[in-house]
Amino acid sequence: MEQPPHSSNFTPPTQRKVVVGFSVALVCLVVVGVVSFRAVGSLHQDTTLVAHTRQVIGQLDVLYSTTIEAQSGRRGFAMTGMDVFLKPYDNAVREIPVEIDHLRRLVADNPQQVERLNSLVSLIDAQLAFGRAVIEARRVDGFAAADALTRTLRGQQLHDQVALRVAEMKQVEDTLLVERQQRAARSVTLTRSIILAGGLLALGLVGTALATIRRDFAARLRAESALRQSENSLAVTLHSIGDAMLATDTDGRVTRLNRVAETLTGWTRDQALGRPIAEIFRIEHEHTGLPAVIPVDQVLSTGSTQALESHTVLIARDGSRRPIDDSAAPIRDRDGRIHGVVLVFRDVTAERAADARLAEVLEQLERERARLKFIFDSLPVGISLAVTQPTGTRTRLINDAHLKLCGFTREQADEPQAFQRITHPEDRQRQDELLRRLEDPRFGSYAMDKRYLRHDGSVVWVMIAVQRRKLADGSTEDLSLVVDITERKRAEEQIDRQNAHLRAVFESLPGLFLVLKPDFTIVTATDAYLQSTMTRREQILDRNLFEVFPDNPDDPAASGVRNLRASLERVRQTGLSDIMAIQRYDVRGKDGGFEEKYWSPINSPVIGPNQTLEYIIHRVEDVTEFVRQKQARSPETSDALRDRMVQMEAEVFQSSQKLQQANHQLESANAELEAFSYSVSHDLRAPLRHIQGYAGMLAREASPLLSDTAKRYLKTVMDSSRQMGALIDDLLTFSKMGRTELRETRIEPSRLCELVRHELEFASAGRNVDWKIAEVPAVRGDPALIKQVLANLIGNALKYSRGRNPAVVEMGCAGREENHLVLFVRDNGAGFDMKYAHKLFGVFQRLHRTDEFEGTGIGLATVRRIVTRHGGRTWAEGVPQVGATFYFTLKAADNT
C-alpha cells in the first residue's frame, strides 16, 4: 500500500528547532532591534545634550565679554570724563538683561546651574551698580571722586568674582559634556555587544544584523562627528575670550589653554598639555624676584577661589616678563566633586602704564591747580566769584587781594551778608539799588565807587564792577572785580578842595569876570559880575551865554550879542586874546525891563597842558559912567572924570594881575587833572593787563587739564577784564573829548556817513542792511569829531537792528533851528521806552542787557559832549521793538 506524502521537508522536531531557533533568532533580533533603537535614541539624546552644553558655554562667554565691555567703558569714562566711552557701557547695560534671560532659559533644566546663575546675576548687578556709582561720581564730582571709588578695588573684586562664577558654570558644563560623551560611548559599546551576541544566535539574520550594525556604526560616526564639532566649538569659544585661560587636573597638570594663554606663556597647546602647571605658569614677585605661589594647590585643598598676590609677573618661555592679574577657581562636576582648577589671568602692562600716566597727569594737574591758585591769589586786583544755586546755596571763590581790601579772613568772607555789612552806611542804599537792578533781565552788570568800613575802623575806597550771568541749570554767577582807589579819591578830594578854593578866590575878585567853556557854556562868574548884571549864580551856571544874555528884542539895531559871539569865535579859532571896542548892552533888570550898559570886554583863552582850549575868560570893565559923561560933555565934570579914569585904569591893572594869578592856579589844577588821567590810563590798566596776560597764559597751557566749570570761570575772568579795559578806554576818551581842540571846517555829512558805512562793512557782513543816506547840506565842525559822532550813532543803529531782516539804517536832515541844521540817524531795531530817554546820553546808562547788546554805555555820552562843544544839542525818540531816531544839531555852513 502506498504511503501518503509529507506536507514538509522538516520533521516536527526540526521544525520545532527551526521555529525555536528562528523564534530565538527573531527574539534576539527583536531584542537587538529594541536595544539598538534605545541605544540610538540615547545616543541622539546625548548628542543633543552635548550641543545644548556647548550653547550654554558659548552664552556664558558672550555674557562675560559683555560685562568686560561695560567695565572697559566705565574705566574709560572715569579716566577721561569723555561721553564717547559711555557708548560701549550703555550698549552692554542694554544687552546684559537679554543675554541673562537667554542663559536662564538654557539652564532652566539644571537647578544647580540656576542657583549659580542667580548668584552670577547678583554679582553682575553689583558690578553695574558700582559702575554707575563711578560714572555718577566722575560726572558730578570729577576725576578725584571717581578715582577714589576705583581705588577701593571693589570693581576689580566684582569683576574677578564674575569671572570665577562664569568659569565655575563653564566647568560644570564641561563636566556634563564629558559625562554625556562617556554615556554616548557606553551606549555604542552596549549596542555593539548585543548585536554581536544576536548575530551568533541568529546566523540566518546576518544580513539584517549587518545592516543594523552598519546603521548603528553610522550613528556612532555621526555622534563622534558631533562630539568633535562640539569640541571645536568649545575651543573656538575659549580662544575668543579676551583673558587668558588655563585649566589643570587634580594633579596640577595642564589640560586646556586658550590662545591668549599661549601668547602670554609662550607655550603652545600641544607643548603644554600634560605638563605640570609650575612648568607652564612661572610667576614671581615683581619687586623681590622671589617665586610666587601658584594658587592651584590652595584651590584644590580649600575648594574656594584664590587670587594672586599683588605685583606678580609672569615669566614666558622666552624669558620675557609682564605683570599679570590672576584668579583661580575649582572645576566641579555635577556632584560638586573637584576634578581640576581653572586659572584666568590677563596682562596688566597697559593698565600699569595707564595708571602711571594717570598719576603723572594728576600730579601735573595739581601743579597747574597750584599755579592757577598762585596767579589768582597774586593778582593785584580783588576778584570774587560767587555761585548761587537755585536752592539758595551760595559758594564763593575769592583771592587774597580782595580779602586784604576788605580786611577779611576767608572764614569771615563766607559769612552771610559779610560784604553788605562792611559797606559804608552812606553807600548801602546805592549798593542795594544796583543789586536789585541785577535781577532785571535788561541789566547784567553794574559798576560803582563805594567805601568799605573795615573791622579795624579804617575806610577804603574801591571801584567795584560786578558781572552776572544765569546758567542753564538756574544758578547764577556773580564775578566781582575790585580795585583800591583810596589814593585816587584822596587826590580827587584834594583837587576838589583846590578847585573850591580857586572858585572862591575867583568869585570874590572885584572885577567883572565870566568863565566860559569853548561852547560858551557859563562855568562861573564873579560876585561883581552877578551884581552888575542883576543875576544870581544858580540862574546862569551851565547855561549858554547868549541864552542868558540875549540882545534887547525891542532894539532892532542891537549888535552886542553878534559882536561878542564873533570875538569869542576868534578866541576859539586862534587861541589868542581878543580885545573888543566898547559895546552897548541892554541888561535885563529884576523888573523885566532893560537897563543900558556900556562895557569894555576882553576875551582871553585858558590853554590846557595838551595845548587845547580849556576855557575862555570874559572880562569886562563897566564904562557906562564914562560913556554917559562923555555923551553929556559936561566941562564941570572933566577933572572928576579924569580921576575916575585913573582909578579905573588902576582897577583894571589890579584885575589883570589877579586874573593872571587865577590863570596860573587854573593851569596847576589842569595839570593835576592831566596827571590823574594818566593815573587812570596807567595805574588802573596795568593790573588789568596782568589779569589778561596771566589768564591768557593759563588758558593756553592748562586748558586740556581744566574741567568745563574751571574753563567757564576762566573765560568769565578774561571777558570781564576786557570789558573793564574797554570801559577805562572809553572813559579816557570821554574825558579827553572836552579838551580836544576844535578845528572847524566845512563838512559834508553825507560823505562822512559813506566813509563810516565803508568802515563798518565788516560789522554788517552777511546781513541784509538797507542803507538810506540822504544828501545833507554842508555844516561847520571838526571833521574827526563829527565822524566819531556818526560812527557811534550808525554803529548803534547796526547793533540794535541785528535781529531785523532787512535792517534799515537812515541818515538825513530834519530841518533847521535858527542857524543850525537838525541831522538824524534812524533805525528799525530794538528801540526804547521814552520814559527812559533822559538816561540815554549819560555815562554807563544802558537800557538793554549786555548779553543782548554789547557795549560800555559811553558812546552816546561821547556824542552829546562832541555836539555840545560844537554849540549844538542832542535828543532821541524811540518805540520799543519798532526803532529809534537820534537827533543832533550842527551849525549850517552857509551861515558862517
Side-chain angles (χ1 to χ4, degrees), residues 840-892:
L840 281 174
F841 295 95
V843 178
F844 296 132
Q845 296 295 329
R846 293 178 53 84
L847 303 186
H848 301 275
R849 301 194 310 271
T850 54
D851 58 347
E852 291 181 332
F853 300 103
E854 69 281 358
T856 59
I858 299 179
L860 291 179
T862 302
V863 168
R864 168 160 287 183
R865 173 163 284 196
I866 294 174
V867 172
T868 302
R869 287 199 61 197
H870 283 75
R873 66 188 187 97
T874 58
W875 71 97
E877 297 174 356
V879 179
Q881 303 306 318
V882 174
T885 304
F886 289 85
Y887 297 92
F888 60 99
T889 64
L890 294 173
K891 286 179 293 186

Side-chain angles (χ1 to χ4, degrees), residues 458-478:
S458 59
V459 176
V460 177
W461 273 98
V462 297
M463 180 178 68
I464 180 170
V466 179
Q467 183 83 22
R468 170 172 290 185
R469 70 169 182 171
K470 290 187 178 293
L471 304 181
D473 60 359
S475 60
T476 59
E477 291 181 344
D478 291 340

Side-chain angles (χ1 to χ4, degrees), residues 679-817:
S679 174
V680 170
S681 64
H682 182 272
D683 296 342
L684 292 185
R685 288 181 56 82
L688 287 178
R689 287 195 293 269
H690 284 101
I691 293 174
Q692 294 170 353
Y694 281 115
M697 290 189 293
L698 184 61
R700 291 191 298 273
E701 297 183 11
S703 181
L705 306 177
L706 297 177
S707 65
D708 292 341
T709 300
K711 291 178 182 177
R712 189 169 67 250
Y713 292 162
L714 186 59
K715 183 178 182 299
T716 302
V717 171
M718 295 174 68
D719 292 344
S720 297
S721 63
R722 282 193 292 268
Q723 183 179 9
M724 180 169 279
L727 281 172
I728 292 174
D729 289 341
D730 288 349
L731 277 175
L732 289 174
T733 301
F734 181 75
S735 65
K736 292 177 180 178
M737 199 63 66
R739 301 193 302 272
T740 302
E741 182 181 0
L742 290 180
R743 301 182 182 276
E744 288 191 0
T745 60
R746 180 184 177 88
I747 298 174
E748 296 180 3
S750 300
R751 182 179 178 185
L752 277 184
C753 192
E754 288 291 348
L755 291 176
V756 171
R757 171 187 173 181
H758 178 72
E759 294 175 356
L760 294 177
E761 282 183 350
F762 178 78
S764 60
R767 293 177 53 189
N768 183 11
V769 181
D770 183 8
W771 295 90
K772 297 180 179 180
I773 301 176
E775 287 296 329
V776 176
V779 296
R780 295 285 298 179
D782 187 304
L785 296 181
I786 301 305
K787 182 182 177 184
Q788 182 66 45
V789 169
L790 291 173
N792 286 1
L793 294 178
I794 294 175
N796 277 355
L798 284 174
K799 176 170 65 176
Y800 289 102
S801 62
R802 187 179 299 153
R804 301 293 189 263
N805 188 13
V808 179
V809 179
E810 182 179 359
M811 183 268 181
C813 179
R816 286 176 176 263
E817 282 187 357

